Amino acid sequence: MDEQLFFKKLNSLCTSKEIFYFLSSLEVMSDTMASGALQKISELEVDDNGLKNPALLDNEVFRALCFQFELESSKLSNTGLLNALQALIKLRIDPESTLMTSLLSESEERLGRGQLTAEHLCALGESLLELEGPSCATLEQIVNHMQRRDINSWSPREIVMVYKILEVSVREGKQWQSLLNRLNGVTLHAVSQLSPNFVSVILNSLVALHQTRAVLLVTALCKHSVQHVPYFTDHELVNVLEAFLYFGQKMQIFTEALERHVPKSICTMHPQTVSKVMQYCCKKMILSKPIFDAVADGFISSADRLTTDQIAAYIIPFGTLNYLPPSASSLFRKLETVLHTRLRHFQPHTLLNLLHSCVLIQRYPINFLPKIFSPYFLQKLQAQPPGLNRVVMSQLTQLFLTVTLECPFYEGPKLLSKYQVKAFPTPQSSLDVHLFKRVKTGLLYLLKKRIYFASEVSTPYFYVVDIEIKLDEEGFVLPAAQLEEVHKRIALCVDGQNRFCAHSHNLLGEEAIKQRHLQLLGYEVVQIPFFEIESLQNTRKIADYLHRKIFPCTYELSN
């Protein structure tokens, strides 16, 4: 049969049974046709879980094909040899079998004799990588052969294959940075030609190869990935998101592409992919209501099928970014049900992170706190990394403070003082130094003397107040150092951009709970957000703004 007619017929077949029937009707076929048939069988019979029907390996036609390839390996064309090798690896044929050793040996001999074209080098490289135990020497040989050709003429497939080989070689301690620099430069000009799979593979390799200096290439790949978001497989999308996180990339157009894709795909997306999307949003402080609402609905319907780590990955960003979706009541009812049935399966730190995120958004895990505050659980926390470090103890303390202030009906075990921090850690990035300086200058203009306000004040209640002003019973401002006759304390929260979700006026969970608790502890909380003050051009206008915010009654009288 003519090869063109053969492949047309082969591509129209939908099952391996049909293929075997078709092959048995032919008297003669070339090795290219036979290897093409093996490739078609591997496409139909192999999925993410492996070989669908192992019995097909015992089929007479299949065995006859394999026997012929083993017997005549030295007479095969390069295309027939390497296509057959790729298909048989995909079909999970034992690498130690005489068939596979024969094909591999013949391939390596032809490589050594320089008989393989660029396309064949790619096919061999991909096969060796797929075997998961590649000989580094053979892979290096392939790269050396590739380098003899003009790197600028490499096809996208060749570029991808070399990245994958270099990734393996570098893991084994080889140094290829000069080749990588050239490869990165060539890839930059080929970005627009890359398929979704190639974009994902190259980004994954750049992460593994720590190519933090390839800024132009990474940026170009991330921009190009936007158009591929609807077409990435779950695994490919995870690779892309990991690259965005590793290289610190954040693009509004990428977020918008995710917002279009995730809500309509949530029912079919793998939970690990959804977890990675939520991790990306959480790390980048991106409060995307379309994504979060879809994930909440997805959790309600599929929570019973999630692992404990996936449950935490779905829920924690809601607390971190201080967002309650429209389905919040159903979401947290489902979470409570899941916790009741699977509480003992959670790792201690995962459970603490999960419950702490809930209280940030006023969802109180009352039924589970006796376990959290129990000596046994605290010992388990201490025994597992990162142990009882300051962050972990702050979470425990904040949980305890929350039930004390917001759930006075809680009568379970208390958190022992030895597990409580003296003050919650304030990250250096939490305070916007420039904004803080402008507010202090405005206050000095308003109150005339620096003694009338204190900055970064530690309270007995674990929190640090940005600026504190004390008033007596008649509403007059007292010196900050005065301890007697203090009738009211005003806490000014100087909230820079880093206390809000990205491109949003939505406070982060940690800041929202702090302001809520300060209010419950008797402070009058006055929020000074960056977006209200950034347009004020001089000190007098800032002072006027602060007068209106802090002393609204006297401001009205003075006007």
Side-chain angles (χ1 to χ4, degrees):
M1 181 183 276
D2 171 69
E3 278 198 9
Q4 196 173 353
L5 189 61
F6 171 85
F7 281 107
K8 187 176 180 182
K9 173 68 175 172
L10 181 67
N11 289 330
S12 70
L13 303 176
C14 301
T15 66
S16 54
K17 187 177 180 181
E18 289 176 355
I19 294 171
F20 290 139
Y21 182 78
F22 169 53
L23 295 178
S24 62
S25 70
L26 301 174
E27 288 186 15
V28 180
M29 69 179 117
S30 68
D31 64 351
T32 310
M33 292 156 73
S35 64
L38 287 177
Q39 284 196 309
K40 179 69 175 177
I41 291 165
S42 72
E43 286 168 18
L44 293 171
E45 293 294 341
V46 178
D47 60 18
D48 291 342
N49 299 316
L51 193 59
K52 295 177 191 173
N53 177 23
L56 81 85
L57 303 183
D58 295 321
N59 179 280
E60 288 178 12
V61 178
F62 181 79
R63 289 167 69 90
L65 279 175
C66 290
F67 180 70
Q68 207 65 30
F69 276 109
E70 182 183 335
L71 201 64
E72 301 187 0
S73 60
S74 62
K75 299 175 186 175
L76 298 172
S77 66
N78 285 342
T79 302
L81 172 67
L82 293 162
N83 284 355
L85 183 62
Q86 278 191 314
L88 293 168
I89 288 171
K90 198 172 178 183
L91 287 163
R92 311 292 200 271
I93 303 300
D94 180 9
E96 303 297 322
S97 65
T98 51
L99 166 64
M100 294 298 283
T101 52
S102 174
L103 295 179
L104 281 165
S105 173
E106 181 62 30
S107 302
E108 289 179 6
E109 280 180 31
R110 294 186 192 187
L111 171 68
R113 294 195 295 265
Q115 293 176 317
L116 301 182
T117 65
E119 186 180 349
H120 297 137
L121 287 168
C122 272
L124 179 58
E126 287 162 357
S127 295
L128 291 173
L129 288 165
E130 191 69 29
L131 279 173
E132 295 181 2
S135 150
C136 205
T138 308
L139 290 173
E140 279 186 53
Q141 242 183 311
I142 292 172
V143 174
N144 288 332
H145 276 285
M146 295 283 295
Q147 285 192 91
R148 288 174 199 158
R149 295 177 60 246
D150 178 14
I151 192 170
N152 294 299
S153 67
W154 288 4
S155 68
R157 183 187 174 197
E158 292 169 80
I159 288 170
V160 167
M161 192 269 300
V162 173
Y163 270 117
K164 286 161 81 173
I165 290 177
L166 293 183
E167 192 181 327
V168 171
S169 301
V170 168
R171 274 206 304 270
E172 297 195 6
K174 306 290 180 182
Q175 296 302 316
W176 293 95
Q177 192 56 54
S178 61
L179 173 58
L180 264 170
N181 291 341
R182 288 165 60 213
L183 185 58
N184 291 344
V186 168
T187 308
L188 179 60
H189 298 294
V191 166
S192 62
Q193 305 166 44
L194 299 177
S195 66
N197 175 256
F198 286 175
V199 169
S200 170
V201 170
I202 293 174
L203 279 171
N204 188 53
S205 292
L206 291 172
V207 170
L209 293 163
H210 310 297
Q211 295 299 289
T212 50
R213 293 185 179 179
V215 178
L216 290 176
L217 174 58
V218 169
T219 305
L221 286 166
C222 288
K223 280 183 181 173
H224 186 60
S225 71
V226 172
Q227 68 191 63
H228 292 317
V229 166
Y231 311 108
F232 285 127
T233 64
D234 280 334
H235 178 67
E236 288 164 359
L237 183 55
V238 166
N239 282 347
V240 171
L241 288 164
E242 284 179 344
F244 266 79
L245 288 168
Y246 180 81
F247 292 112
Q249 292 284 327
K250 185 167 78 172
M251 297 176 182
Q252 185 61 26
I253 52 172
F254 182 74
T255 302
E256 289 166 4
L258 285 177
E259 288 179 340
R260 290 189 294 272
H261 175 64
V262 173
K264 63 185 180 188
S265 310
I266 195 76
C267 297
T268 54
M269 284 177 89
H270 192 281
Q272 205 56 38
T273 311
V274 179
S275 299
K276 187 58 69 175
V277 169
M278 291 302 274
Q279 183 195 3
Y280 170 76
C281 289
C282 197
K283 287 274 178 75
K284 300 292 183 183
M285 302 302 179
I286 298 168
L287 174 53
S288 166
K289 292 182 181 180
I291 293 174
F292 277 51
D293 293 350
V295 169
D297 294 340
F299 182 87
I300 292 162
S301 60
S302 66
D304 297 322
R305 300 192 295 274
L306 303 180
T307 66
T308 53
D309 283 344
Q310 287 164 355
I311 290 167
Y314 275 53
I315 299 297
I316 287 172
F318 286 93
T320 304
L321 303 189
N322 186 29
Y323 178 64
L324 286 171
S327 58
S329 56
S330 301
L331 174 67
F332 287 96
R333 198 159 48 242
K334 183 66 179 180
L335 177 61
E336 186 167 14
T337 303
V338 170
L339 286 172
H340 272 299
T341 54
R342 298 171 63 186
L343 193 69
R344 69 183 184 280
H345 298 141
F346 280 84
Q347 289 297 312
H349 288 281
T350 305
L351 182 60
L352 177 61
N353 288 334
L354 177 60
L355 298 186
H356 177 258
S357 73
C358 291
V359 301
L360 297 179
I361 42 177
Q362 295 177 277
R363 289 298 181 268
Y364 310 112
I366 296 298
N367 296 327
F368 309 106
L369 289 179
K371 176 185 175 72
I372 297 293
F373 296 151
S374 71
Y376 174 68
F377 183 81
L378 294 168
Q379 284 169 11
K380 284 174 72 178
L381 272 178
Q382 191 159 16
Q384 292 184 6
L388 284 173
N389 65 14
R390 198 168 175 213
V391 173
V392 172
M393 288 176 69
S394 294
Q395 287 179 315
L396 288 166
T397 307
Q398 201 161 43
L399 269 175
F400 179 60
L401 184 61
T402 300
V403 291
T404 305
L405 294 174
E406 301 184 57
C407 309
F409 48 85
Y410 173 73
E411 294 178 350
K414 311 293 184 193
L415 180 67
L416 297 175
S417 58
K418 68 176 180 177
Y419 295 111
Q420 296 177 26
V421 290
K422 297 282 188 293
F424 292 131
T426 305
Q428 286 298 317
S429 60
S430 172
L431 199 60
D432 183 328
V433 178
H434 178 64
L435 179 65
F436 195 54
K437 189 176 178 182
R438 291 187 76 203
V439 171
K440 287 199 293 184
T441 304
L443 269 180
L444 188 57
Y445 188 95
L446 176 65
L447 301 177
K448 308 305 180 195
K449 288 186 180 179
R450 182 65 179 82
I451 63 166
Y452 290 119
F453 63 93
S455 54
E456 298 182 80
V457 179
S458 296
T459 70
Y461 314 109
F462 315 108
Y463 292 109
V464 174
V465 173
D466 295 336
I467 294 174
E468 184 184 65
I469 297 171
K470 296 174 181 176
L471 304 181
D472 66 14
E473 201 166 351
E474 293 177 9
F476 290 109
V477 179
L478 296 170
Q482 187 166 324
L483 301 176
E484 298 83 21
E485 299 177 7
V486 178
H487 181 69
K488 183 191 283 187
R489 294 173 189 266
I490 299 173
L492 265 60
C493 295
V494 184
D495 295 330
Q497 272 182 304
N498 45 14
R499 291 185 180 176
F500 293 87
C501 300
H503 312 298
S504 164
H505 293 173
N506 194 77
L507 270 180
L508 295 173
E510 284 285 3
E511 190 60 28
I513 196 173
K514 171 184 171 180
Q515 295 185 17
R516 198 166 72 237
H517 283 177
L518 286 174
Q519 209 159 5
L520 290 167
L521 289 162
Y523 282 90
E524 180 182 315
V525 175
V526 176
Q527 191 187 7
I528 311 293
F530 74 95
F531 50 85
E532 288 182 0
I533 206 169
E534 62 187 354
S535 62
L536 303 177
Q537 281 136 14
N538 57 51
T539 304
R540 185 171 181 173
K541 285 185 177 178
I542 293 172
D544 193 53
Y545 162 81
L546 292 171
H547 189 177
R548 187 170 67 249
K549 287 282 285 195
I550 304 167
F551 309 108
C553 296
T554 59
Y555 182 81
E556 285 174 19
L557 287 173
S558 65
N559 286 275

